[in-house]
């Protein structure tokens, strides 16, 4: 159960940290229009900021990311 807890992300999780947790989330981010994952600004951007910039509900994005991370654990 601890491994799952370590992989839980929040709206405050930076994109760079999310990608270090599991780089396989890249397609989810690309699907919302976040195509510049390699740029330094996106690495420091939080999940909430990224969602807002791309017109996505941040709570739904966090829910989708955590569901993916739980499945891939």
């Amino acid at each position: 159960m601890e491994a799952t807890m370590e992989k839980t992300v929040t709206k405050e999780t930076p994109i760079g940290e999310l990608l270090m947790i599991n780089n396989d989330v890249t397609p989810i981010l690309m699907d919302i229009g976040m195509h510049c994952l390699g740029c330094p600004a996106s690495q420091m951007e939080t999940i909430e900021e990224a969602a807002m910039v791309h017109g996505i509900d941040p709570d739904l994005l966090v829910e989708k990311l955590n569901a993916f991370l739980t499945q891939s654990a």
Side-chain angles (χ1 to χ4, degrees):
M1 183 122 158
E2 281 185 19
T4 303
M5 293 298 286
E6 288 176 354
K7 291 185 178 185
T8 300
V9 296
T10 68
K11 293 187 287 189
E12 291 78 29
T13 303
I15 297 298
E17 184 179 326
L18 171 62
L19 293 172
M20 288 187 341
I21 291 170
N22 188 330
N23 196 42
D24 291 337
V25 300
T26 300
I28 295 170
L29 299 174
M30 297 289 278
D31 284 347
I32 68 163
M34 192 169 189
H35 300 278
C36 58
L37 295 175
C39 80
S42 73
Q43 297 298 301
M44 299 304 295
E45 193 172 48
T46 65
I47 292 172
E48 181 173 35
E49 292 166 335
M52 290 174 24
V53 166
H54 296 285
I56 304 295
D57 181 314
D59 293 314
L60 292 176
L61 180 56
V62 167
E63 185 178 316
K64 185 173 186 176
L65 291 167
N66 280 316
F68 175 82
L69 294 171
T70 300
Q71 289 175 351
S72 65

